[in-house]
Amino acid sequence: MRTDNFASRHIGIRQENLQHMFKTVEVEDMEQLIYETIPDDIKLQGPLQLSPAMEEHEFLGHIQELSKKNKVFKSYIGLGYHECITPSVILRNILENPGWYTAYTPYQAEIAQGRLEALLNFQTMVCDLTGMELANASLLDESTAAAEAMTMLFDVRSRDQKKNGVLKFFVSEEVLPQTLSLLQTRSKPLGIQLEVGDHEKFTFGSDFYGVLLQYPGKYGQVHEYSGFAEKAQAAGIKIAVAADILSLVLLTPPGAFGADVVVGTTQRFGIPLGYGGPHAAFFATREAYKRSIPGRIIGVTRDVDDKPALRMALQTREQHIKRDKATSNICTAQVLLAVMAGMYAVYHGPKGLTTIANKVHASAVTLVDHLEKLGVYQINTGYFDTIAVKTNAKKIRVVAENKEVNFLYVDEETVSIAVNETTSLKDLAQIISIFAEALGKDSIAPPTALASKVAVPESTNRTSPFLENNIFNAFHSETELMRYIKKLERKDLALNHSMISLGSCTMKLNAASEMLPLSWAQWGNIHPFVPVEQAKGYQIVLKELEKDLTAITGFAGTSLQPNSGAQGEYAGLMTIRAYHESRGEGHRNICIIPASAHGTNPASAVMAGMQVVVTKTDEKGNIDVQDLEEKVSLHSDKLAALMVTYPSTHGVFESSIRYVTQMIHEHGGQVYMDGANMNAQVGLTNPATIGADVCHLNLHKTFAIPHGGGGPGVGPICVAEQLLPFLPGNPVIKTGGEKAISAISSAPWGSALACLISYGYIKMLGESGLTQSTKIAILNANYIKNRLRGGFNVLYTGENGRAAHEMIIDCRPFKQNGIEVTDIAKRLMDYGFHAPTVSFPVAGTLMIEPTESESLAELDRFCDAMLSIRQEIDEAKTPNNVLKNAPHTLDMVTSDTWDFPYTREKAAFPLSYIRENKFWPSVRRVDDAYGDRNLICTCAPIQAYAEI
């Protein structure tokens, strides 16, 4: 084995394993397996055009050299992004820790209690600071969150407003430019009419359903909004506020002056700038809107022993249930970043956050005092951390950039300066000297201490307490926080413990060499709105990644802006919409979607202003071609698109795919391919070859960005030539095509920092490694399929009886033994495994995807566990059985009483391998219904801890 070859480290199967696996799969070699799995007419005829694979140490040297091309200026640009300090204890123990970054979305609550507690802390922090009753477990970025607020308030309009067709939404001209651009994107397909203007001159008419305010404004002005809120409420107009979370430590929380929704970003709570992301946005609202809030909520419930437990609440809001009735396509959160932001609040507590906020504000006041001595005056009557000064912006810029400093240049005579947590007296002195030099003024004495006066209007001072819960007042030393983080980590099953064989989610290795650069300051400290020449390292990485993804998909171009798979779906459909409109065919609004599609597909289509038409699947799980033909012919004049997942959501390479895509094109439609299953395509076939026009890629699936407990994710779109002009733009930094649609996410290149991971993955694997990864993923899936044969029936296979990279096993027959698929999922925890995907896309089934990263030994352990469970199903004669009582906790197994008809050993150690590395679920089976009936989504008050 070569020790310097990354593919041999990423791919778990060894050369010496192959013959045994081929025998089990019943093929002579890999070529036969691929021949029998993938239809001939879509196979690639040559290798991918990619650069040769790099060795791991070679890549680390390469990425370090690229980082030096980034110029890390002191950036005081603001606009929702601020340099901050990531506490080292959080950096090392969360961001750099696979126990946190390789975990999956916490659908299996019993083995995710640590992450759920960290997210509950986040929600509590958000509710306390915003003054709202309910918060979700984060969204993608501030602009996306603001757009979600606009659409949620649209959905909850009063009966009279809906009856009267009230469609207008007012946006303050103080709103961030990227937010306004995204509001424009989201509003148009839904028929929402935006009106942008001065909120102080707004007429509170009955033709408006909602407003969006910025707090403080984009250039720093702190407005007193209570009077505005009273008038809006009297007129039946709902209020959304985009707020700076650190400012809320000192400012009146929006909930106190009547806000209905408060959104923003938690980036400045210890999250690196990263050229735009990933960052965790927040979304807080009133409990009255709990059934409409987008995203995920963590709630408190009980387990079967009536002990407190946590789980994701109100899951019926998820898109796989609501589909085209969903009001949002959000399928993820930024969990890893939300965990970090929540821990930032835990570490600093209310006193620490107050100290930081006061220092930031005092820095701004000190800067104003000294600029005034130079005859430079700022125009905000009240401010927190951002000032706007009247001066010669051109002269300032020349000197500032020469001294490696960035300000925001509003116009020729206005400069905005946003100070931050890292700003020191030395930094303030440098800013002052820049102005003195640029304006030809005599230098003045630099500040020796921060000013003590306050520039926040007294009427907006915060008077209410926050973060009183014990959790925010207990772990302020590094030792204590380190132990708290470790305590939570031990409650979560992540990839650092065992395989997570989730179908459609591709939980593969997130290699350390791919992850290391994320901690480097040369990548982390770049503001997304710096001039592009300051980010040459990033520009090389992003352009090269775009080029490689374009080659892999066979398309003409790529946009990295969408910062989740769901956003990629939406972006792809919006480019199709723009393409039709450019041809005078804007009436095309029918989107055909197979019944087996991901739930986000129909939700995305509705958000893009399309009408969903669902087609059937046949008895083999494939697209019902006859039904599709009928639907296409019926809607030919209005056909906009087909959304298709390939291989199918059922884990099959459908042989009719070329005919299907050709049919759509003949009737004037475009084909969108969901890239969730690209791990079965890379190097063997591609979306362009099957006849698609656009696809999104889940970089957190196929291209190795970690799931991070439910986020970060990146969902770029790759498009055919005719869609290139419509790739999304940004209002601050030019991106996208010649006829770019407006923004899809806040930052020009979305979550650029996370793109380093996929860049490394592709560069270290190269063409050969990528193709081999795909082959091994298919081999592993078919190996598991054949090993489970006789115990579990696979629901769908291809024409030659092969699975793609995943398969669905049918657990419905076990109902005759009283066993549900959920019981199997919970029992797997006792065997040390996270369950495969439960009841998707078919109720009562498990969808298994092993990925290419797992070893043969791990595949066999999983198969042994499943076959052992199969035997337990046969043994289940009464309801009091080992499956119905699963999972079994340490408390349960070590209890003085044992009232079960099986042994403690069978409960906890059913197979010998488990003794070597036992994972203990921290709670027993949770009661979802109880939690929904008694919705509690924040930490208990400090009095509750005192009563324990």
mmCIF file of all heavy atoms in Angstrom, residues 374-388:
data_model
loop_
_atom_site.group_PDB
_atom_site.id
_atom_site.type_symbol
_atom_site.label_atom_id
_atom_site.label_comp_id
_atom_site.label_asym_id
_atom_site.label_seq_id
_atom_site.Cartn_x
_atom_site.Cartn_y
_atom_site.Cartn_z
ATOM 1 N N LEU A 374 -10.265 65.970 14.361
ATOM 2 C CA LEU A 374 -9.715 66.203 13.025
ATOM 3 C C LEU A 374 -10.698 66.967 12.134
ATOM 4 O O LEU A 374 -10.421 67.216 10.963
ATOM 5 C CB LEU A 374 -9.376 64.866 12.362
ATOM 6 C CG LEU A 374 -8.230 64.037 12.960
ATOM 7 C CD1 LEU A 374 -8.151 62.679 12.274
ATOM 8 C CD2 LEU A 374 -6.894 64.775 12.818
ATOM 9 N N GLY A 375 -11.828 67.314 12.706
ATOM 10 C CA GLY A 375 -12.846 68.008 11.931
ATOM 11 C C GLY A 375 -13.676 67.086 11.072
ATOM 12 O O GLY A 375 -14.311 67.515 10.097
ATOM 13 N N VAL A 376 -13.699 65.798 11.420
ATOM 14 C CA VAL A 376 -14.487 64.801 10.694
ATOM 15 C C VAL A 376 -15.660 64.405 11.581
ATOM 16 O O VAL A 376 -15.458 63.922 12.695
ATOM 17 C CB VAL A 376 -13.642 63.558 10.339
ATOM 18 C CG1 VAL A 376 -14.495 62.507 9.649
ATOM 19 C CG2 VAL A 376 -12.462 63.948 9.468
ATOM 20 N N TYR A 377 -16.868 64.603 11.085
ATOM 21 C CA TYR A 377 -18.047 64.397 11.928
ATOM 22 C C TYR A 377 -18.920 63.282 11.368
ATOM 23 O O TYR A 377 -19.102 63.157 10.155
ATOM 24 C CB TYR A 377 -18.846 65.698 12.044
ATOM 25 C CG TYR A 377 -18.055 66.788 12.737
ATOM 26 C CD1 TYR A 377 -17.275 67.677 11.989
ATOM 27 C CD2 TYR A 377 -18.057 66.889 14.123
ATOM 28 C CE1 TYR A 377 -16.522 68.659 12.616
ATOM 29 C CE2 TYR A 377 -17.311 67.871 14.760
ATOM 30 C CZ TYR A 377 -16.541 68.742 14.011
ATOM 31 O OH TYR A 377 -15.792 69.706 14.639
ATOM 32 N N GLN A 378 -19.446 62.512 12.276
ATOM 33 C CA GLN A 378 -20.311 61.405 11.857
ATOM 34 C C GLN A 378 -21.775 61.834 11.960
ATOM 35 O O GLN A 378 -22.120 62.746 12.691
ATOM 36 C CB GLN A 378 -19.989 60.146 12.640
ATOM 37 C CG GLN A 378 -20.379 60.121 14.090
ATOM 38 C CD GLN A 378 -21.695 59.436 14.297
ATOM 39 O OE1 GLN A 378 -22.058 58.527 13.561
ATOM 40 N NE2 GLN A 378 -22.435 59.880 15.286
ATOM 41 N N ILE A 379 -22.627 61.123 11.200
ATOM 42 C CA ILE A 379 -23.988 61.604 10.987
ATOM 43 C C ILE A 379 -25.058 60.826 11.757
ATOM 44 O O ILE A 379 -26.225 61.183 11.729
ATOM 45 C CB ILE A 379 -24.342 61.584 9.480
ATOM 46 C CG1 ILE A 379 -24.172 60.173 8.905
ATOM 47 C CG2 ILE A 379 -23.480 62.575 8.720
ATOM 48 C CD1 ILE A 379 -24.545 60.054 7.425
ATOM 49 N N ASN A 380 -24.668 59.749 12.437
ATOM 50 C CA ASN A 380 -25.657 58.985 13.199
ATOM 51 C C ASN A 380 -25.973 59.698 14.511
ATOM 52 O O ASN A 380 -25.064 60.096 15.246
ATOM 53 C CB ASN A 380 -25.145 57.571 13.501
ATOM 54 C CG ASN A 380 -25.031 56.715 12.252
ATOM 55 O OD1 ASN A 380 -25.801 56.894 11.307
ATOM 56 N ND2 ASN A 380 -24.092 55.777 12.238
ATOM 57 N N THR A 381 -27.242 59.852 14.821
ATOM 58 C CA THR A 381 -27.630 60.475 16.095
ATOM 59 C C THR A 381 -27.504 59.497 17.254
ATOM 60 O O THR A 381 -27.432 59.905 18.410
ATOM 61 C CB THR A 381 -29.073 60.992 16.022
ATOM 62 O OG1 THR A 381 -29.943 59.902 15.678
ATOM 63 C CG2 THR A 381 -29.197 62.081 14.965
ATOM 64 N N GLY A 382 -27.490 58.223 16.952
ATOM 65 C CA GLY A 382 -27.265 57.185 17.951
ATOM 66 C C GLY A 382 -26.677 55.983 17.246
ATOM 67 O O GLY A 382 -27.037 55.681 16.107
ATOM 68 N N TYR A 383 -25.725 55.306 17.894
ATOM 69 C CA TYR A 383 -25.070 54.178 17.240
ATOM 70 C C TYR A 383 -24.562 53.203 18.296
ATOM 71 O O TYR A 383 -24.421 53.549 19.474
ATOM 72 C CB TYR A 383 -23.905 54.660 16.367
ATOM 73 C CG TYR A 383 -22.872 55.491 17.093
ATOM 74 C CD1 TYR A 383 -21.782 54.892 17.719
ATOM 75 C CD2 TYR A 383 -22.986 56.880 17.167
ATOM 76 C CE1 TYR A 383 -20.840 55.651 18.395
ATOM 77 C CE2 TYR A 383 -22.055 57.643 17.844
ATOM 78 C CZ TYR A 383 -20.982 57.025 18.455
ATOM 79 O OH TYR A 383 -20.053 57.776 19.138
ATOM 80 N N PHE A 384 -24.303 51.983 17.868
ATOM 81 C CA PHE A 384 -23.724 50.963 18.742
ATOM 82 C C PHE A 384 -22.256 50.735 18.397
ATOM 83 O O PHE A 384 -21.379 51.012 19.188
ATOM 84 C CB PHE A 384 -24.507 49.648 18.636
ATOM 85 C CG PHE A 384 -23.794 48.469 19.243
ATOM 86 C CD1 PHE A 384 -23.491 48.452 20.604
ATOM 87 C CD2 PHE A 384 -23.408 47.380 18.463
ATOM 88 C CE1 PHE A 384 -22.814 47.374 21.173
ATOM 89 C CE2 PHE A 384 -22.724 46.300 19.031
ATOM 90 C CZ PHE A 384 -22.440 46.298 20.375
ATOM 91 N N ASP A 385 -21.982 50.239 17.202
ATOM 92 C CA ASP A 385 -20.597 49.922 16.827
ATOM 93 C C ASP A 385 -20.201 50.473 15.462
ATOM 94 O O ASP A 385 -19.052 50.351 15.055
ATOM 95 C CB ASP A 385 -20.376 48.407 16.831
ATOM 96 C CG ASP A 385 -21.204 47.688 15.773
ATOM 97 O OD1 ASP A 385 -22.067 48.329 15.139
ATOM 98 O OD2 ASP A 385 -21.003 46.469 15.578
ATOM 99 N N THR A 386 -21.147 51.067 14.747
ATOM 100 C CA THR A 386 -20.902 51.494 13.371
ATOM 101 C C THR A 386 -21.222 52.966 13.221
ATOM 102 O O THR A 386 -22.303 53.419 13.606
ATOM 103 C CB THR A 386 -21.760 50.672 12.393
ATOM 104 O OG1 THR A 386 -21.459 49.278 12.571
ATOM 105 C CG2 THR A 386 -21.487 51.063 10.953
ATOM 106 N N ILE A 387 -20.270 53.693 12.637
ATOM 107 C CA ILE A 387 -20.458 55.125 12.417
ATOM 108 C C ILE A 387 -20.387 55.428 10.927
ATOM 109 O O ILE A 387 -19.819 54.657 10.148
ATOM 110 C CB ILE A 387 -19.407 55.957 13.180
ATOM 111 C CG1 ILE A 387 -17.994 55.653 12.659
ATOM 112 C CG2 ILE A 387 -19.508 55.695 14.679
ATOM 113 C CD1 ILE A 387 -16.915 56.561 13.241
ATOM 114 N N ALA A 388 -20.975 56.528 10.535
ATOM 115 C CA ALA A 388 -20.909 57.001 9.150
ATOM 116 C C ALA A 388 -20.428 58.436 9.186
ATOM 117 O O ALA A 388 -21.025 59.280 9.864
ATOM 118 C CB ALA A 388 -22.275 56.899 8.485
#
